[in-house]
Amino acid sequence: MVVPSRKLQDLIEEIRGAKTQAQEREVIQKECAHIRASFRDGDPLHRHRQLAKLLYVHMLGYPAHFGQMECLKLIASPRFTDKRVGYLGAMLLLDERQDAHLLITNSIKNDLNQGIQVVQGLALCTLSTVGSAEMCRDLATEVEKLLLQPGSYVRKKAVLTAVHMIRKVPELSNIFLPPCAQLLHERHHGILLGTITLITELCERSPAALKHFQKVVPQLVQILRTLVTTGYSTEHSISGVSDPFLQVQILRLLRILGRNHEESSDTMNDLLAQVATNTDTSRNAGNAVLFETVLTIMDIRSATGLRVLAVNILGRFLLNSDKNIRYVALTSLLRMVQSDHSAVQRHRPTVVECLREVDASLSRRALELSLALVNSSNVRAMTQELQSFLESCSPDLRADCASGILLAAERFAPTKRWHIDTILRVLTTAGTHVRDDAVANLTQLIGGAQELHAYSVRRLYSALAEDISQQPLVQVAAWCIGEYGDLLLEGSCEETEPLQVEEEDVLDLLEKVLQSHMSLPATRGYALTALMKLSTRLRGDNNRIRQVVSIYGSCLDMELQQRAVEYNTLFRKYDHMRAAILEKMPLVERGGTQDEEIKESKEAQLSEASLVPTEPQASELLDLLDLLDGTSGAAQPPPPLEPSPGDVLVHLLDLPCDLPSASPPPASIPNLRVFEREGLQLNLSFVRPPGTPALLLITITAINTSEADVIHFICQAAVPKSFQLQLQAPSGDTVPAHSGLPVTQLLRILNPNKAPLRLKLRLTYNHFGQSVQEIFEVNNLPMETWQ
Amino acid sequence: MGLSSPGKCCKAGGGLKIRFILIQNRAGKTRLAKWYMQFDDDEKQKLIEEVHAVVTVRDAKHTNFVEFRNFKIIYRRYAGLYFCICVDVNDNNLAYLEAIHNFVEVLNEYFHNVCELDLVFNFYKVYTVVDEMFLAGEIRETSQTKVLKQLLMLQSLE
């Protein structure tokens, strides 16, 4: 029994009439059953209608795999209506992974060859959408034939099909490369567009093709020039710009051809300037072309004037009222900021304006760009802007903004006080979003700035009194109050308003922190330790402190309990040692991790005089040496150069040139020759930087006047316990013969107690085929090195 | 500035510009889905849902570009329909925005003031329009007059 099949329109109407999802499903299932029956019966007349209905249902998300074989039958049929639906079905249902996929190859081949344009068009379309690698290989010659046929309708499709084939089977590039030259002479826009795309694809895949096509740059320039000035045809003009899509494609190809190629870039220069100045920017089409031009200018070897023009265009985009254009401008400026920093700086005010955008993606880009533009001259103004942004921005941007401000402050802080203020403000506004090491950084910073102790502790105390919920702030404040509580209570500090603080108030505040449910266990630890330290700093008696400490001796938190018990014991049994244990921490030298991180993140903006990251491990190992014993405890080799990314390594390689100039202002201490053996000499030169009285910089220079190279040269140093030593990486481990380039190594020695300096050196190296080890103490160290 | 970097879904290897074109209505019903890359059926469904979720929450205050997985989506809303093109992150946003508008203008001409129902009842014709203007993930024909001429010719064959 043949059930008359419904028309497509009727089915669609019925589906749309369904009120619920379940009803729709019912209708569709019923129809699918009919369709399946019809396919089984093999009704050729209505097959296309059945398949069309099936495809509609498929688009709504229902399974349609049983229609695959029908597609094949429809494609093979001579009628156009059948073929059309069949090919559509093939594109939707028969992707590469279906088994029936290969079966259409033959049909496509026949259709390509039979000369009816529309049918060829359908076949090419399907081939370019779902063509697998095998199919492409089989049909490559057919497509190639079609490339040079007279009819433009088919040629357009053939060219882009060729693009698809190359993507699937790169070896086919050989077939499709030769016709390109002829295709470039076409005036038909569609073919030209396809050809440019084809050439682009070829060039991206093989450097040989790239070279080949660099010869046609003049021709491309000519095409583009004609397009811009006179235009080939009015029917391609969009908003007054003649065929912007073709222009964009050509510009893109020019970009690929001109990259790293002086000659091509020169040829393009004038044209790019012309396009950049002549394009009408009132509508989006013109802006699209302009944008592509800017991208091309940025990427090729263009003249500086042209690059500045590009940056200015982007700057103009930033002022455009259309936010899409602002978005692309910000993205591109971000890419350019490293290479054309000064040009981008000129647009800084506009960028800062963009921080106030409503769209999060825009404000995020503005934030990144602003952070990249901070330098030592604008740091105060920029930080001001960034901090007001921090107060009002959305939560997901806060973390980035906070860490960005802290990083910028660290690199460009004009004064320590400003630095402390800035960090303080960031902690109060966005305390919960800062990185974990911000606390450590701030404590280190405050600790190192002796003149600012009073100021810091007062500011922190006021901030803490207002709000104890921001954990990083609380931690730093607690530490600071503990360390410098006496400065808080005595006298006034001229940099802040007079603050009358009683001992009771301080203790109240710390106890509040301890008891608050908002405080993390780590914060409580800080507060407890601070209380303990105050027991030596405050003048009153310590009963209250002792009480608090003993309460926490039975606290459930292990860490707190342990601390409380230890402190309790300190009160009871070791009271005489309490003062010594709890005295103020000495000035800490800023560690090496800071410098490493900064280098990793902004290598383009490093100044020449930056020192190589230090290796604290070496110093700690060697500090353990007791010089009096004179043991060869330094048996371990110095730690390897840190696993820094490539850019830091580059700076290390620059060392031989940098080190001598990187040393601080000229010293007045005479050099000392400490070692000489078989032509290898070791000299020490000393510098006492005037700003840091406890610091001594020693440069060890190894020169080899003998005939043979000294290889695997390693120098280690040891100092008495009261000193701090940092050994930086040597410039190399081979001292070339005949007084070649000497090996230098920098030692930093901290001597806060101004004790007499003693220095022991250990050398290991290979010379004249023998391995040598020497250990000796440096005598005759001039008094100026440690007094 | 790199050439196209292979995304997670990119099995075909570099160079492919347009990943897919989608027309959806506000409720999430697909009116057209043209895929230029291989995806499983359930992957396709998931992608459709994700795109819908991302695009419908945005309003006039937002830009027309959205970062999506490791690509980006250029979209434009016309009445109740969202026209979305998914491209590589390095592509020229503004140019594809023009392409969408070009496409919509052709549809408008072809269906004489097109509305959503036109696209529903003539879905296979919409596919034809897409195939005239885009091919193999690239923009193919940009002249509206030419495309319309071809479409009318094809129509006469039915």
Side-chain angles (χ1 to χ4, degrees):
Chain A
M1 185 178 78
V2 176
V3 178
S5 58
R6 263 193 299 189
K7 300 219 304 214
L8 174 63
Q9 321 286 56
D10 298 335
L11 174 62
I12 296 180
E13 276 191 34
E14 189 174 338
I15 293 179
R16 287 172 58 80
K19 301 261 185 323
T20 67
Q21 186 77 347
Q23 213 177 355
E24 180 183 296
R25 233 190 323 239
E26 216 186 291
V27 168
I28 290 181
Q29 270 171 357
K30 228 170 40 174
E31 189 62 34
C32 283
H34 282 277
I35 296 179
R36 247 189 281 238
S38 159
F39 285 162
R40 261 199 320 266
D41 294 338
D43 172 14
L45 228 58
H46 295 121
R47 198 178 283 146
H48 70 274
R49 178 191 292 170
Q50 305 291 50
L51 188 61
K53 285 190 277 187
L54 190 57
L55 290 177
Y56 182 77
V57 162
H58 173 74
M59 202 169 69
L60 290 176
Y62 295 89
H65 45 273
F66 53 88
Q68 285 174 6
M69 294 310 287
E70 306 307 311
C71 296
L72 295 176
K73 292 185 199 153
L74 281 170
I75 294 176
S77 141
R79 287 197 317 176
F80 179 72
T81 353
D82 285 347
K83 275 195 197 292
R84 178 196 222 187
V85 183
Y87 273 120
L88 180 61
M91 280 194 276
L92 289 177
L93 299 177
L94 280 178
D95 60 22
E96 279 186 6
R97 275 163 298 190
Q98 312 299 338
D99 301 323
H101 179 72
L102 274 178
L103 299 172
I104 55 175
T105 316
N106 231 10
S107 304
I108 295 188
K109 192 180 217 155
N110 291 337
D111 284 338
L112 284 178
N113 280 332
Q114 38 104 301
I116 302 181
Q117 286 203 0
V118 283
V119 172
Q120 287 172 322
L122 281 179
L124 284 170
C125 199
T126 311
L127 181 54
S128 63
T129 315
V130 292
S132 63
E134 298 88 54
M135 279 173 71
C136 292
R137 270 195 214 104
D138 288 338
L139 298 168
T141 29
E142 266 76 18
V143 174
E144 190 205 346
K145 266 193 301 199
L146 292 173
L147 276 180
L148 298 171
Q149 249 193 3
S152 61
Y153 176 76
V154 174
R155 286 170 81 184
K156 288 190 297 204
K157 298 206 180 203
V159 174
L160 283 176
T161 312
V163 174
H164 173 85
M165 290 181 145
I166 295 180
R167 286 189 186 139
K168 283 285 181 187
V169 186
E171 298 85 55
L172 291 175
S173 321
N174 303 330
I175 306 187
F176 291 118
L177 201 142
C180 289
Q182 189 179 348
L183 285 170
L184 263 185
H185 291 286
E186 285 298 319
R187 299 193 60 122
H188 185 277
H189 277 225
I191 301 182
L192 209 45
L193 188 56
T195 312
I196 306 277
T197 316
L198 180 57
I199 299 180
T200 313
E201 190 67 30
L202 286 168
C203 291
E204 278 180 5
R205 282 181 183 271
S206 103
L210 187 65
K211 268 206 183 39
H212 175 87
F213 283 113
Q214 272 163 349
K215 297 193 211 87
V216 305
V217 168
Q219 197 177 357
L220 290 170
V221 167
Q222 188 54 35
I223 297 177
L224 188 52
R225 183 167 288 149
T226 329
L227 252 187
V228 171
T229 47
T230 58
Y232 282 170
S233 57
T234 47
E235 64 183 8
H236 288 277
S237 124
I238 294 187
S239 324
V241 180
S242 59
D243 207 344
F245 301 105
L246 185 56
Q247 289 193 33
V248 164
Q249 270 309 75
I250 298 183
L251 283 167
R252 201 198 196 114
L253 179 57
L254 286 176
R255 177 154 88 232
I256 297 178
L257 292 175
R259 193 180 286 162
N260 289 332
H261 195 241
E262 280 295 336
E263 204 186 305
S264 310
S265 308
D266 286 334
T267 331
M268 297 179 215
N269 260 325
D270 293 336
L271 173 68
L272 291 172
Q274 189 180 6
V275 173
T277 36
N278 286 352
T279 313
D280 171 25
T281 55
S282 54
R283 304 290 298 276
N284 187 42
N287 285 324
V289 175
L290 212 49
F291 180 57
E292 195 72 32
T293 317
V294 167
L295 289 180
T296 305
I297 294 178
M298 272 160 49
D299 226 19
I300 64 173
R301 300 265 181 85
S302 45
T304 349
L306 205 52
R307 291 183 87 91
V308 172
L309 177 64
V311 175
N312 289 345
I313 293 180
L314 288 177
R316 262 205 332 262
F317 274 1
L318 273 183
L319 297 166
N320 197 306
S321 50
D322 185 354
K323 51 190 162 340
N324 293 327
I325 299 189
R326 289 205 293 271
Y327 178 95
V328 298
L330 282 173
T331 319
S332 313
L333 280 174
L334 201 53
R335 282 197 278 210
M336 281 187 93
V337 76
Q338 302 289 358
S339 49
D340 298 83
H341 192 84
S342 44
V344 181
Q345 273 286 1
R346 244 175 277 144
H347 299 280
R348 190 170 54 81
T350 335
V351 173
V352 170
E353 274 299 311
C354 290
L355 280 175
R356 305 190 222 291
E357 294 280 352
V358 178
D359 186 341
S361 57
L362 275 172
S363 46
R364 174 186 293 275
R365 277 174 175 68
L367 176 65
E368 279 177 34
L369 194 52
S370 309
L371 286 173
L373 285 178
V374 176
N375 64 19
S376 40
S377 44
N378 60 26
V379 66
R380 282 187 200 254
M382 288 296 281
T383 319
Q384 193 66 19
E385 293 281 349
L386 287 169
Q387 276 181 335
S388 41
F389 174 64
L390 185 61
E391 280 157 21
S392 56
C393 74
S394 66
D396 41 343
L397 287 178
R398 281 227 173 134
D400 292 328
C401 190
S403 47
I405 297 179
L406 290 178
L407 210 60
E410 216 173 282
R411 296 184 56 205
F412 300 115
T415 60
K416 283 214 167 140
R417 179 179 155 184
W418 180 91
H419 195 176
I420 293 178
D421 279 341
T422 312
I423 301 188
L424 204 59
R425 195 167 159 195
V426 171
L427 284 181
T428 14
T429 8
T432 37
H433 296 273
V434 298
R435 270 191 332 204
D436 296 332
D437 57 353
V439 173
N441 286 351
L442 184 54
T443 48
Q444 220 173 23
L445 183 61
I446 295 180
Q450 194 168 21
E451 63 280 10
L452 291 171
H453 285 167
Y455 172 75
S456 322
V457 74
R458 277 160 191 283
R459 291 284 321 267
L460 283 168
Y461 179 80
S462 333
L464 191 60
E466 280 180 27
D467 172 22
I468 60 170
S469 62
Q470 305 261 34
Q471 293 304 298
L473 181 64
V474 175
Q475 288 174 0
V476 178
W479 179 86
C480 213
I481 295 177
E483 278 290 304
Y484 310 119
D486 48 339
L487 291 176
L488 180 60
L489 297 171
E490 84 195 9
S492 58
C493 167
E494 68 278 357
E495 294 185 22
T496 62
E497 296 146 17
L499 195 60
Q500 257 313 84
V501 181
E502 301 295 329
E503 290 181 12
E504 294 301 309
D505 299 329
V506 179
L507 294 178
D508 278 339
L509 190 56
L510 283 176
E511 273 190 59
K512 198 164 125 192
V513 170
L514 265 177
Q515 288 158 3
S516 159
H517 60 277
M518 290 187 281
S519 303
L520 297 173
T523 317
R524 293 220 178 97
Y526 271 95
L528 194 58
T529 313
L531 266 180
M532 198 55 202
K533 289 187 200 165
L534 282 180
S535 70
T536 52
R537 314 262 198 273
L538 300 184
R539 277 171 297 227
D541 65 16
N542 294 326
N543 280 334
R544 187 165 168 192
I545 297 182
R546 292 180 74 146
Q547 238 182 344
V548 174
V549 167
S550 52
I551 291 178
Y552 276 87
S554 45
C555 170
L556 281 177
D557 183 88
M558 279 308 302
E559 167 80 22
L560 277 182
Q561 190 188 100
Q562 179 173 359
R563 284 190 194 212
V565 167
E566 286 171 359
Y567 292 154
N568 232 353
T569 326
L570 205 55
F571 268 125
R572 281 187 285 117
K573 286 205 227 162
Y574 300 100
D575 209 33
H576 52 283
M577 284 173 49
R578 192 160 46 88
I581 293 183
L582 295 174
E583 74 176 11
K584 287 201 190 159
M585 288 170 64
L587 286 181
V588 177
E589 182 70 21
R590 294 293 297 283
T593 36
Q594 285 297 343
D595 304 308
E596 257 176 77
E597 267 176 10
I598 297 174
K599 280 183 185 46
E600 284 168 29
S601 60
K602 311 253 180 189
E603 87 272 22
Q605 304 192 13
L606 278 178
S607 56
E608 295 285 281
S610 55
L611 292 173
V612 172
T614 58
E615 299 162 72
Q617 301 141 304
S619 57
E620 278 156 29
L621 277 176
L622 297 172
D623 275 350
L624 295 177
L625 280 181
D626 190 351
L627 270 187
L628 298 174
D629 288 348
T631 54
S632 59
Q636 302 99 335
L641 292 176
E642 65 279 332
S644 51
D647 40 341
V648 186
L649 221 41
V650 168
H651 286 276
L652 284 176
L653 290 174
D654 282 342
L655 250 190
C657 322
D658 277 352
L659 253 190
S661 58
S663 47
S668 51
I669 310 175
N671 291 359
L672 196 61
R673 167 163 308 172
V674 296
F675 173 76
E676 157 123 43
R677 177 175 162 166
E678 294 171 322
L680 177 65
Q681 299 165 1
L682 211 67
N683 293 330
L684 298 184
S685 58
F686 305 94
V687 176
R688 292 284 293 275
T692 42
L695 181 64
L696 169 68
L697 296 170
I698 303 182
T699 309
I700 303 177
T701 314
I703 300 184
N704 180 5
T705 54
S706 70
E707 308 289 11
D709 288 0
V710 167
I711 51 177
H712 305 308
F713 177 78
I714 297 174
C715 174
Q716 294 161 299
V719 290
K721 281 204 184 105
S722 59
F723 293 76
Q724 281 182 8
L725 170 68
Q726 280 170 355
L727 202 59
Q728 299 198 342
S731 63
D733 68 346
T734 301
V735 192
H738 305 294
S739 306
L741 191 68
V743 167
T744 51
Q745 191 162 9
L746 188 63
L747 263 67
R748 296 166 62 99
I749 297 186
L750 255 186
N751 182 8
N753 303 328
K754 299 225 194 280
L757 173 65
R758 298 174 62 182
L759 181 67
K760 203 161 192 173
L761 291 177
R762 175 174 180 259
L763 306 175
T764 50
Y765 59 89
N766 255 347
H767 198 196
F768 295 114
Q770 285 182 321
S771 61
V772 179
Q773 179 184 274
E774 293 274 343
I775 304 177
F776 54 90
E777 185 170 349
V778 177
N779 303 315
N780 318 321
L781 282 169
M783 290 233 293
E784 297 87 33
T785 54
W786 50 268
Q787 265 186 340
Chain B
M1 186 159 350
L3 305 170
S4 49
S5 46
K8 213 171 46 164
C9 318
C10 190
K11 298 176 196 126
L16 186 63
K17 303 294 186 322
I18 305 181
R19 293 338 199 241
F20 56 82
I21 302 181
L22 272 174
I23 306 181
Q24 294 177 320
N25 67 4
R26 261 198 81 82
K29 278 227 149 46
T30 313
R31 296 304 174 206
L32 177 119
K34 182 82 189 177
W35 307 91
Y36 292 102
M37 274 184 66
Q38 308 290 356
F39 291 113
D40 283 333
D41 273 343
D42 30 331
E43 275 175 0
K44 286 186 189 172
Q45 235 359 73
K46 212 157 133 338
L47 274 171
I48 289 178
E49 281 163 26
E50 270 183 47
V51 171
H52 177 249
V54 161
V55 153
T56 38
V57 291
R58 296 167 74 87
D59 58 12
K61 290 201 303 275
H62 293 99
T63 57
N64 292 66
F65 320 122
V66 185
E67 256 137 67
F68 175 71
R69 296 200 186 180
N70 33 13
F71 314 122
K72 63 182 170 200
I73 298 213
I74 320 251
Y75 74 96
R76 206 158 190 178
R77 182 177 170 185
Y78 292 88
L81 286 176
Y82 289 94
F83 288 73
C84 311
I85 297 190
C86 174
V87 295
D88 199 41
V89 282
N90 289 327
D91 285 335
N92 186 338
N93 296 354
L94 304 173
Y96 282 105
L97 206 54
E98 272 311 308
I100 293 181
H101 193 69
N102 213 20
F103 174 54
V104 172
E105 283 191 344
V106 168
L107 284 178
N108 204 27
E109 268 302 308
Y110 185 51
F111 289 110
H112 307 297
N113 288 328
V114 66
C115 65
E116 188 176 340
L117 282 183
D118 288 325
L119 301 184
V120 172
F121 281 99
N122 298 299
F123 74 97
Y124 53 95
K125 288 192 190 163
V126 181
Y127 274 103
T128 317
V129 178
V130 172
D131 287 334
E132 283 300 314
M133 301 189 71
F134 303 93
L135 194 67
E138 306 281 345
I139 299 177
R140 185 168 84 79
E141 180 59 73
T142 56
S143 154
Q144 293 177 13
T145 29
K146 281 216 170 74
V147 174
L148 284 166
K149 215 163 46 170
Q150 275 147 17
L151 288 173
L152 290 173
M153 182 202 34
L154 280 171
Q155 193 167 300
S156 66
L157 287 173
E158 282 186 32

